[in-house]
Amino acid sequence: AMFDVVGFRHIKEEDDTFLNTKLAELDQRLHKISGGRTRAYEAACQLNPEYVQGKTFRLAFLRTQRFDAKKAATAIISHFHIKRKVFANYEPGFLAREMKFTDLS
């Protein structure tokens, strides 16, 4: 019934133990990924580790991928790769922060 109303199937309750376990799995997956596509992610980590490694940012990707840490890690790497490619002419710090409406003008 919930799916019919809001478009989401029921997901396991997000208690602290569950979230911490999934965040740890995501960290492990991110450390396993290597190659050219990780350069933007690595640069973002250097520029603003509080943002990139922050719980809020990472949980957004985990929730989007239904807590599949492997898919979430791939999505994070892709996010920074595409952000760097599309917004290459912006100031370097742009990569490691939230995009604002004023950035587009």
Side-chain angles (χ1 to χ4, degrees):
M2 177 78 127
F3 181 74
D4 296 334
V5 176
V6 296
F8 293 101
R9 297 183 197 278
H10 179 69
I11 298 176
K12 182 181 173 166
E13 289 295 318
E14 295 182 12
D15 63 31
D16 286 343
T17 302
F18 176 74
L19 293 178
N20 290 333
T21 299
K22 291 300 178 179
L23 286 165
E25 286 177 25
L26 177 58
D27 285 341
Q28 290 173 352
R29 290 290 184 177
L30 284 166
H31 284 38
K32 287 182 181 180
I33 298 174
S34 61
R37 292 182 60 93
T38 63
R39 287 189 192 122
Y41 168 74
E42 292 165 1
C45 285
Q46 296 256 332
L47 289 166
N48 190 352
E50 294 83 19
Y51 169 70
V52 178
Q53 297 167 356
K55 187 174 184 175
T56 302
F57 180 79
R58 290 181 178 218
L59 279 175
F61 284 90
L62 279 167
R63 288 180 177 126
T64 300
Q65 299 300 329
R66 301 179 142 244
F67 293 97
D68 182 319
K70 185 176 181 178
K71 288 181 181 178
T74 300
I76 288 172
I77 298 299
S78 293
H79 167 80
F80 287 109
H81 178 75
I82 292 168
K83 191 173 182 182
R84 177 183 253 178
K85 189 174 180 179
V86 171
F87 300 103
N89 295 329
Y90 284 72
E91 47 97 9
F94 178 78
L95 181 65
R97 66 172 172 79
E98 289 288 330
M99 191 169 153
K100 298 182 238 170
F101 185 70
T102 55
D103 290 325
L104 301 175
S105 56

